[in-house]
Amino acid sequence: MDLSDTPEEAAFRARLREWLAEAVPAAGPEPDPADWPGRRAHDLGWQRTLYDAGYADVHWDASPALRMIFLEESEKAGAPYVGANFVGLLHAGPTIAAEGTDAQRARWLPPILRGEQVWCQGFSEPDAGSDLAALRTRARRDGDDYVVTGGKIWTSHAEVADWCELLVRTDPDAPRHRGITWLALPMDAAGVTVRPLRTLAGSTEFAEVFLDEVRVPAANRVGAENDGWRVTMVTLSFERGTAFVGEVVACRRVLRRLAGAARENGRWDDPVLRRALGRLDAEFRALWRLTQWNVSEATANGGVPGVAGSVFKLRYSTARQDLYDTAADVLGAGALDLDRPWVLDRLSSLSYTIAAGTSQIQRNIVAERMLGLPKGR
Amino acid sequence: MSVRFGLTDDQKALRTGVRRLLERRFPREALRAAVDAPGRLDRELWRALGEAGFFALRLPEAEGGVGLGRPEAVLAFEEAGRALLPGPLVATHLAAGAVPGAAGGEVAVAAVDGELVEWLEAADVVRGDVRGAVPLRSVDPLTPLHRVPHPAAADPLAVLLTAAEQLGSAVRLRELAVQHARTRQQFGRPIGAFQAVQHLCADLLVRAETARAAVYAAAVTGDPGDIAAARLLADEAAVRGARDCLQVHGGMGFTWEADVHLHLKRAWVRAGRSGGVTESEELLAAALVR
């Protein structure tokens, strides 16, 4: 058990910290959350800055320890998070890197790393959410193209994306996991319609994507036809591994601010509130250590973060909701004012126990794959 | 950093060694025999623990100890918690080097912790002011308790070792729950095939593994905040874990015969040590505004 940096890690951390101290202020203020073109430009601009400084591929090539340090220091410095680059950097990109041809890697990866193109994820459908393998968006082969018809939902950044990693059904007669294919869909193709969905927080974080006889070249297929399920799962655990490291650091900062605010408005004198804040601090300390533990164990066991990510996500999603519920206790009547800090965060925290696998699905995963219990019903 | 957080080969060997020792010297029959003879400290077992270095683990080699650190002590106490090993383990471990005979297991040491003393009558040496001590009819058949009018604050290390014991219980309770869920049949299938039961078991694992990360990290850093966090997570994992494990066991869980209640009662005793959860929560809250 050792939590200290190696000399190499310490050097990386020091160099990064020094660079961030100059680069972050130069990146300019965060754009308004409702300003999608502005957010796209801001997120891509930061990725370009990372590229120029040699940090663009830290999520892909660096050791897990360096990746953790990168996320930790970036968050501490107040650097922009991946934002609109999320799917490109953390899912579609790694999938193409692992399963694509040389030509596909040369075509799609450099624009992701240079901050030139945004990817979105076309997985869920109105009737295929937790049961993703029930997806029905149909792709029929016609010459050198697939002709795609159907619809996707909960697609983040669809409004500003250049590409969509799309799961389609190519063989409706095969067992359901074996008739799925992974395609790169250009979002400007004829027949693609994006309809923004308004979340309960009032913003348009994601969209519905309608596909009507959209022609996608067969050259855009990654992996073999009907092998899309496996292609996707190779990297799906990635987003449950280290993806939330920065957020845990950010939550700890919010917690300190909450305590400060409570001291100022007198609510600190309430021992129930004070103890709730103390317990949240324990929770986020533990989540930070759990991330380190999971990365450490995954490295020792050969690399890929496994179902341990489900353990983290189950705990973190609830902790985040508790954090902002406690923020409401600190704010008092202010908790009902959308212009106060933390009120929108409280609303958006509600998605955490649903997105990227609901808490119920995560518990099924833990029960079946970690505890070896019989498949549930 | 993080990639070397896991156990070293030596630490894994130490953990296995302690587990084997306890399986040999304190099997389930011994546990149940101890339940039937409350208040009796097994001196032979105590000396065996001493010879194995359980109490002298952190004592420097120059002083006749094993010369290991907090992480190794935490691993040993996790195993003790898992086995529900009775006796004033924490007080004797902390007395090694200070109280003659403690390190070798020739002497059992009790200590005042908060307003309670565990194993007061069986101990050879008592640390702290026990004037006016009154025996309680202890809820835990494996931990005799006295209440004292002059409370004493606890050593942070005692908090950490207690958290390690709670972690051991939490992990064991997860195993017991899963074992039962796999074998108990109702409606023609193992009850572990029902999601309602699966989700109880999954939560047992989530709480135990989150606590593990917190306890091990606190063992590495020794930071008072990390120790307080570890205790809160480990208490929750053991107490909630025992409740959920009991629920998975159904009617069997409510019996004296099943071991679940022994874990629950011990977890309650441990959660009451060192000022209880309130003190740890207040400590962390205070650190937030410093």
Side-chain angles (χ1 to χ4, degrees):
Chain A
M1 288 184 216
D2 185 354
L3 288 164
S4 61
D5 286 348
T6 63
E8 185 212 358
E9 289 159 0
F12 176 80
R13 191 190 290 277
R15 194 159 34 87
L16 175 64
R17 197 176 282 177
E18 197 178 323
W19 178 77
L20 284 166
E22 283 189 22
V24 172
E30 291 270 332
D32 187 288
D35 173 15
W36 271 107
R39 283 173 67 177
R40 175 188 155 106
H42 186 75
D43 295 348
L44 288 177
W46 179 247
Q47 181 59 26
R48 177 70 203 196
T49 306
L50 290 175
Y51 178 83
D52 290 337
Y55 292 113
D57 57 354
V58 72
H59 298 289
W60 300 356
D61 283 353
S63 73
L66 295 189
R67 201 159 66 221
M68 291 270 295
I69 291 171
F70 176 81
L71 291 166
E72 182 188 1
E73 293 298 328
S74 295
E75 184 52 47
K76 281 184 175 161
Y81 186 48
V82 285
N85 304 300
F86 185 89
V87 174
L89 282 175
L90 296 183
H91 199 261
T95 302
I96 294 163
E99 298 288 329
T101 62
D102 287 346
Q104 289 172 331
R105 283 199 285 268
R107 179 182 179 194
W108 287 313
L109 299 187
I112 293 174
L113 292 175
R114 288 195 302 259
E116 291 164 4
Q117 291 180 346
V118 168
W119 284 68
C120 63
Q121 194 175 69
F123 286 5
S124 296
E125 296 180 8
D127 291 324
S130 292
D131 185 11
L132 183 58
L135 64 91
R136 288 197 303 223
T137 291
R138 183 80 174 90
R140 164 176 61 78
R141 186 70 186 253
D142 181 35
D144 289 338
D145 293 337
Y146 287 99
V147 181
V148 182
T149 297
K152 295 291 174 177
I153 198 165
W154 319 132
T155 306
S156 299
H157 306 116
E159 286 172 87
V160 293
D162 305 282
W163 293 93
C164 177
E165 54 164 346
L166 190 69
L167 288 183
V168 294
R169 187 156 303 281
T170 32
D171 183 353
D173 302 320
R176 33 190 236 143
H177 292 89
R178 301 215 188 102
I180 294 170
T181 299
W182 195 105
L183 297 176
L185 162 77
M187 290 297 282
D188 60 0
V192 177
T193 310
V194 174
R195 186 173 74 90
L197 285 166
R198 199 167 179 209
T199 72
L200 57 71
S203 53
T204 54
E205 293 298 313
F206 44 44
E208 226 174 329
V209 178
F210 300 94
L211 304 162
D212 181 20
E213 298 276 310
V214 180
R215 297 193 80 88
V216 180
N220 287 17
R221 187 188 71 222
V222 170
E225 187 170 288
N226 298 325
D227 197 27
W229 185 263
R230 188 194 59 77
V231 167
T232 302
M233 291 306 147
V234 166
T235 41
L236 202 59
S237 61
F238 205 90
E239 69 176 345
R240 292 175 195 155
T242 51
F244 295 108
V245 167
E247 293 195 18
V248 172
V249 176
C251 284
R252 295 192 66 183
R253 194 172 51 222
V254 169
L255 195 55
R256 287 190 162 275
R257 290 197 183 138
L258 275 180
R263 272 265 274 240
E264 271 171 36
N265 70 17
R267 285 174 196 272
W268 186 252
D269 296 334
D270 174 2
V272 176
L273 175 70
R274 222 167 42 227
R275 288 180 55 189
L277 291 168
R279 187 162 278 273
L280 280 166
D281 185 56
E283 189 70 29
F284 284 107
R285 280 178 195 250
L287 285 165
W288 174 243
R289 299 311 189 181
L290 182 61
T291 309
Q292 292 179 316
W293 179 259
N294 286 347
V295 168
S296 171
E297 291 295 282
T299 308
N301 298 327
V304 188
V307 286
S310 293
V311 174
F312 174 85
K313 192 188 174 267
L314 272 165
R315 193 85 191 194
Y316 169 61
S317 53
T318 312
R320 189 179 176 94
Q321 291 173 355
D322 290 346
L323 174 69
Y324 288 110
D325 282 343
T326 308
D329 290 340
V330 172
L331 289 168
L336 303 177
D337 178 356
L338 286 171
D339 286 332
R340 295 294 295 271
W342 306 316
V343 178
L344 280 172
D345 295 310
R346 186 186 190 197
L347 291 172
S348 62
S349 77
L350 298 171
S351 73
Y352 276 72
T353 45
I354 299 167
T358 65
S359 293
Q360 286 65 38
I361 289 292
Q362 304 292 354
R363 287 194 183 90
N364 289 353
I365 291 172
V366 170
E368 287 166 22
R369 299 198 210 152
M370 295 180 91
L371 297 175
L373 289 168
K375 200 152 176 59
R377 48 169 284 158
Chain B
M1 51 149 220
S2 50
V3 290
R4 293 170 290 121
F5 189 9
L7 272 57
T8 63
D9 288 342
D10 283 350
Q11 287 169 336
K12 285 179 188 163
L14 173 95
R15 184 176 60 182
T16 309
V18 178
R19 186 172 301 187
R20 297 283 166 270
L21 172 76
L22 294 180
E23 280 168 357
R24 210 166 52 243
R25 304 299 303 239
F26 191 64
R28 183 162 188 275
E29 306 81 69
L31 170 72
R32 298 309 302 204
V35 171
D36 293 336
R40 199 185 74 84
L41 191 63
D42 182 344
R43 293 299 181 150
E44 206 181 315
L45 174 61
W46 207 254
R47 273 189 299 276
L49 289 170
E51 280 159 25
F54 188 89
F55 302 118
L57 205 57
R58 287 179 312 105
L59 207 58
E61 287 177 87
E63 295 172 43
V66 188
L68 293 171
R70 276 188 311 263
E72 287 77 17
V74 155
L75 292 172
F77 272 79
E78 180 185 342
E79 290 305 316
R82 173 193 176 82
L84 279 174
L85 188 64
L89 298 165
V90 173
T92 304
H93 180 95
L94 293 180
V99 174
E106 296 93 27
V107 165
V109 182
V112 179
D113 178 326
E115 47 185 333
L116 292 170
V117 193
E118 301 175 17
W119 293 95
L120 176 59
E121 281 167 20
D124 308 297
V125 176
V126 181
R127 301 173 101 190
D129 185 353
V130 291
R131 282 172 302 161
V134 179
L136 304 185
R137 206 156 71 83
S138 175
V139 68
D140 176 15
L142 291 167
T143 312
L145 290 172
H146 280 71
R147 200 165 179 165
V148 293
H150 309 290
D155 186 330
L157 202 51
V159 181
L160 177 65
L161 296 178
T162 295
E165 288 185 283
Q166 296 285 57
L167 171 62
S169 265
V171 174
R172 182 67 189 139
L173 286 157
R174 187 255 292 163
E175 290 172 5
L176 290 171
V178 170
Q179 232 167 48
H180 187 76
R182 275 204 195 122
T183 46
R184 168 73 174 164
Q185 301 254 338
Q186 286 289 276
F187 303 99
R189 55 172 55 89
I191 60 168
F194 296 102
Q195 289 192 349
V197 177
Q198 288 190 342
H199 289 191
L200 283 175
C201 294
D203 286 340
L204 274 155
L205 180 138
V206 169
R207 285 190 296 257
E209 293 312 304
T210 312
R212 185 193 303 283
V215 171
Y216 289 1
V220 173
T221 68
D223 171 74
D226 284 342
I227 291 176
R231 102 67 67 81
L232 290 174
L233 274 285
D235 280 353
E236 185 206 16
V239 174
R240 288 285 327 156
R243 296 285 292 266
D244 285 352
C245 180
L246 197 153
Q247 186 69 21
V248 168
H249 277 73
M252 272 308 292
F254 193 63
T255 66
W256 187 264
E257 182 195 335
D259 292 344
V260 190
H261 73 107
L262 300 175
H263 278 285
L264 176 60
K265 291 165 178 173
R266 187 75 70 87
W268 278 341
V269 168
R270 296 182 194 128
R273 288 182 193 158
S274 315
V277 296
T278 313
E279 197 164 304
S280 298
E281 285 169 348
E282 289 283 11
L283 184 151
L284 289 168
L288 281 174
V289 289
R290 255 204 309 275

